[in-house]
Structures are given as structure tokens and as C-alpha cells.
Amino acid sequence: MTPGRRSSTFTRLLRHGFTDASAAERLLDSAELAAVRDDPVLLEALGATADPDLALHGLVRLLEAQPGPTARRELLDTLIAAKPLRDRLLGVLGASAALADHLARHPRDWEALVTYEPRDLHPGVAEFERGLAGAGDPVALRVAYRRCLLSIAARDVCGTTDVAQTAAELADLATATLRAALALAEAAAPEDAAACRLAVIAMGKCGGHELNYVSDVDVIFVGEALGAPPGPSGTGGGADEGKALRSATKLASHMMRICSETTVEGSIWPVDANLRPEGRNGPLVRTLSSHLAYYQRWAKTWEFQALLKARPVAGDLDLGQEYVAALEPLVWKAAERENFVADVQKMRRRVVENIPAAEIDRELKLGPGGLRDVEFAVQLLQLVHGRTDPTLRSGTTLDALQALAAGGYVGRADAVQLDDAYRFLRSMEHRIQLYRLRRTHLVPEGEADLRRLGRSLGLRADPVTELIREWKQHTGVVRRLHEKLFYRPLLDAFAQLAPGEARLSAEAARERLVALGYADPAAALRHLEALASGVTRKAAIQRTLLPVLLGWFADSADPDAGLLNFRKVSDALGKTPWYLRLLRDEGAAAENLARVLSAGRLAPDLLMRAPEAVALLGDGDGGGLEPRGRAQLEQEILAAVGRADNAEDGVRA
């Protein structure tokens, strides 16, 4: 190579984002790339990847692995001529060393990335099942799984799918894989397969349709004897049941091994059944009636939280649906348990306390401001308010967050910020795991790793600096909003309402008003209807507030006056954006207002003259209610009068 050409190529490579331009020159001069070494299209495409050096190295390995010159020429011709393949293949090679290894071992699998049709953009379980069909043993299943994973990763790194769709596709691929693994287990033991019904229930992120690239797949197994009566009461008989459960346990154990064991093609992912009743100490497979008895008598609060995401995915889907239908009512009663909110909050604190000190600042998932903070806040709000609002009962975090915002349980601006932060943090998590296909939630420390991660997320000017800035900004937002939502004082008060009190029919409302001591329940009912009827956001938020406020008004000498005064203040301030947000998000403000409005006529009359003074009730830790000295009062009064345009306004101020 001439010095002039070397200098020119070297400079171009640096401009396109290569960090080791000398090594890149040598690879471009290799025999495999001789035909296209000067093609500007190839260089541009390599420069658009997360790690151009990694992508070029992976491409050379893939070309070397082709079975002959004809196959190598076919790959190069398609790569240069077809932009979709070029973007997909080089995008994957630049983001994932693990998938580059797979392609080097299975050099014809690049053909899985050629198809580019509308149906290819959002495949479902059925398409993944077709992709896994024909895998007659665990090794073949691993190869087919990686081939399907290759297509998901290609859509992800090219931006064809967003992070939520990618997570849903990964969950669908896991569903198809569990079904394929169970089919292999049944084929190996047909007598066991014929002796039982076995349902596989996905939990955790798989159940919630939001799986990572590398994660344990949490499951629960339900088994029954063939011919057992439908529903949770069916047992199928002692001897038949015992035989059926033994057969179901063998099948479940074999299915788990197929997915978890390491072969020459590596492993798929661990299947974790420890969320089952009694954890690892309990039987792997239980009947539906046994599951139901456990949750009715012994289950802890966190176990009901986990059931939010339960979803039948494999085996006998009818039995799986019976399981979900039987346990769903218990999930939505969990918030009525004593100390429910405090227990969930305590569990979150324990998770943070168990993170090693050296890792806490790099923990994307479990650390303060991490993914778990969003998930716990959303799940707690779901369990408290979902008792009476079925629209909140999604197992998918972002869908549930959207429903909480639509119902007025979370401020719209807060929900948008949480959504943005969650998507960014999940994208970081995905790209970190995609590189080596290892289960990790730690942000890397090396400059090269941070650079590749930043570029994979579209940060190109100064990838490392931009990545760290955005990451810290999003974790700060999550931390602030988690504290605001997860430790919201009103949550505990709402959770303590007796069953049925959170949403009342007209007759039930009248009966409760009488029981609480309202002297004129008919008038009180009219106030409630005026405040809470309709489909406006104002009405939705007040429907959440009123069940708690009614109890606080009832603790005063004149509950009727408290409710009437609340209606007056709400009519005066209801269209003011901060008013209902203040009451919903700061429990102290709502409780203080209830006390003030029920304490005779003076304070309500003063509030009606200057209703914006309600803001004082939520100042910090009661700061707005602290006694003030003469000097401070004189200063405030003189300032207020000084701002008035005339004497009348001055007197009013």
C-alpha cells in the first residue's frame, strides 16, 4: 500500500469512528474484503454502528467462515446491494460480540436477516414457534433460539422497534422456547405426558411481556390429573393425583434442564421456579387447589405483588387460565392486608441495602433511581387503586403507568418523565447485556465499553460524556418521583379503606355517610356527585381523594360542613393545575385541608376569599403552618398591600 493511500484511508477510518485505524486497514486489505475494500457504502455503514472496529472484525470472521468463494461472494453482493441487510447485519456485529461468535459458528444464519417485510417488523409467538420448529434436541434448540434472537437484535439496533416492543418480542421468543422445550421433554417421556395436565405460568418480566436479552425466566408450574374436575376445587383423586404430580414434576424438571444446561452452544437462560409457594423448599408442581390454599392462608405480601405479572405461556393453557382466574381476586385484595403499604416499602429498602457498596452507583436495575424504583412505584399504585379500577391491571410496567396517568392517579407530567427515564434505562440495560449476552445490570467502567454503549443509543458527538450525563439525569428523575409516589402519604390511607369503600354505589355511599356521622346524607351525596361525576381529569382525581377525605371530615365536629366547604374550595380552584396535584401527591396537605375545612366558619371563609392559600397547607414539613413572628407577618402584609393596584385590593390582600 502506498504511503499516500495509507494516510488517506487512515484518516477516513478515524473520521468514521474507528479507534484502531491501523488494525482496520489491515482487515480491509484482507483477501475476504478485497472486492469491496474501497466501497464507500461499506465504510459508511460500518461507521454508523455502535463499534465500527468490532463490526469490521465480525464481518471478516463471518466471511472467513463461509463454506466457499461462491457463498462469500453471495454474502458480499447482498451486503453491498441491500441496505436493510447491511444495516441489520453490521448493526448486530457492531453491538454484540456474542452474536458475532454465533454467526462465525453458523455462517449461513446471516440469511435470517435478509427478509424485510411488514410482518417481519413485529413477529409474535407463532412466528417464533416456526423459527424453532425442527429443533429435535437441546443443542439444535439453542442454535434456533440464537437465530431468532439475531433477528430481534437486528430490529433493535436499527431502531425498527422501540425498547418496549423489543422486550415484548423477547418475552414472545421465551414463550415459544418454553413450549419447544416442553415438547422435547414430553417426547422423551410420552408416558408422563399422557398421565397429567401441566401448565407453565410465566412470572416476572417474562409474564409482564417485558423481558431482557439475558434474564432468568421465572415460572410457576400447575399440575392436575387427567379428567380432574375443572376449577380450583377439583383434585382428581388421591392415587391419580399423586401419579399425575410425579409425572408433571418429571416433565417440568426436564424442561428446565433443556433451557438451563450448558452445551457446546452455550445455554439459553435459567428457568427459575423459586417464586412458587414455599420457594425452593416447596414442591415444584402443585395442583390448582393446593396453590389456592397456600395463597389464601400463608402467602406474604410480596407474593401477591409477584402475581401481578402471572401469565399462562406453555403446556395446558386452559389449566393456566384457571390458575390466573382463581388467584386474581386474591391479588386485588392484597392491599387490604395489615401494613400492606409499609411492607412493600420495607421490601424495596431491603433490596437497596443488599447491594454491594462498590456496585450501588453502577446498578441500573436495583440501585436508587434504577428500574426497580419505577416498577415498585407502579406496582404499589396498581395494587392500592386497582382494587376498584380494572383499567390498572396490566402486568406490563409502561402500560400500567399509562393507565395510572389516564386515571389521574399519577400526574401526566410525572408519568411522561417516568416513561422516558424507564425507556432510557431499559435501553442501556439491553445494550449492555447484548454485547456478551451475559446477565448483568452494571454500567461498565471501561472507556471503550462506555463509548460503544453511548454510540449504540445514538449519542455520537461525545458518547461517553453524553451517556453519563443522560444516565445521571434520568436516575435523578426516577429517584425524585419514586420518593414522591412510592412514599405518598395518601396511599396508606387509601389502602386502609375497608373493602368496597374506595368506590361506592349511590345506596352504599348513603349508608356509609350515615355510618360516618353525616347529619344530612342526602345533601352530602349531592356534593359527592357534583365533585366526582363525569369523565374529566378533575373528577377522576377527586374520585380518588374523596373516600379518604370523607373519613377525615368524619373525625371533625361537623362532617357536613367540611364536605360542603371542600366543594366550595374545589369549585373555586378546580381548574387551577396545582390544586388537585397538591392534594393527591402530598397527603399532609389533603389532611390539613380536611381539618381546616371542618373547623368552623372562619378558616373556610378566609380560604374562599383567597383560595390560593391552600398551597400553604403543603409547604414542606408543615412549614406553611408554623407560627410566624410579628416582624415576618408585617413584612408579608406590607408586601401584599404594596402589590395591590388600589385601596380595595389592598384591604382584600
Side-chain angles (χ1 to χ4, degrees), residues 38 46 79 86 108 174 215 259-260 302 409 428 440 448 457 464 476 479 524 536 637:
D38 294 318
L46 287 166
L79 186 72
R86 188 164 62 246
R108 299 303 296 182
S215 175
C259 295
S260 305
W302 69 264
Y409 306 100
M428 282 185 69
T440 178
L457 296 172
V464 176
R479 198 166 185 174
T536 65
I637 291 171

Side-chain angles (χ1 to χ4, degrees), residues 228-250:
S233 61
T235 61
D240 288 344
E241 180 183 291
K243 179 183 177 182
L245 288 179
R246 287 191 294 273
S247 294
T249 299
K250 291 178 186 176

Side-chain angles (χ1 to χ4, degrees), residues 105-118:
R105 289 195 308 273
H106 304 281
R108 299 303 296 182
D109 275 7
W110 68 267
E111 295 173 2
L113 303 179
V114 174
T115 305
Y116 193 82
E117 300 175 6

Side-chain angles (χ1 to χ4, degrees), residues 111-164:
E111 295 173 2
L113 303 179
V114 174
T115 305
Y116 193 82
E117 300 175 6
R119 67 178 177 82
D120 179 48
L121 299 183
H122 303 293
V125 175
E127 184 165 335
F128 287 128
E129 285 187 296
R130 287 193 292 273
L132 300 177
D137 59 65
V139 174
L141 181 60
R142 280 153 178 68
V143 175
Y145 174 84
R146 289 290 174 93
R147 189 182 306 120
C148 291
L149 193 66
L150 187 66
S151 66
I152 294 176
R155 286 187 290 275
D156 179 15
V157 299
C158 291
T160 307
T161 56
D162 67 6
V163 66

Side-chain angles (χ1 to χ4, degrees), residues 274-289:
N274 288 336
L275 291 177
R276 67 186 185 268
E278 300 179 76
R280 66 182 67 226
N281 297 319
L284 183 63
V285 182
R286 289 176 181 258
T287 62
L288 177 52
S289 58

Side-chain angles (χ1 to χ4, degrees), residues 21 27 54 114 159 237 340 380 470 497 508 553 562 590 608-609 612 617-618 646:
L27 289 172
L54 184 67
V114 174
F340 166 77
L380 180 57
E470 289 221 22
L497 293 174
F553 292 142
M608 289 310 300
R609 293 184 189 182
E612 64 276 4
L617 302 175
N646 52 56

Side-chain angles (χ1 to χ4, degrees), residues 277-359:
E278 300 179 76
R280 66 182 67 226
N281 297 319
L284 183 63
V285 182
R286 289 176 181 258
T287 62
L288 177 52
S289 58
S290 175
H291 276 285
L292 191 57
Y294 173 84
Y295 284 105
Q296 287 172 332
R297 298 175 193 172
W298 296 295
K300 298 179 176 64
T301 295
W302 69 264
E303 293 178 276
F304 293 104
Q305 187 177 350
L307 284 170
L308 269 174
K309 297 181 181 295
R311 180 171 64 93
V313 291
D316 191 319
L317 296 181
D318 289 337
L319 178 58
Q321 291 293 352
E322 291 173 22
Y323 170 90
V324 171
L327 293 181
E328 188 176 33
L330 300 181
V331 173
W332 300 112
K333 291 180 180 177
E336 296 161 11
R337 296 163 65 96
E338 188 176 357
N339 298 320
F340 166 77
V341 172
D343 285 347
V344 177
Q345 292 169 342
K346 190 185 302 179
M347 182 168 62
R348 174 60 189 137
R349 286 193 292 268
R350 269 202 308 271
V351 170
V352 174
E353 290 165 1
N354 288 331
I355 302 172
E359 297 179 356

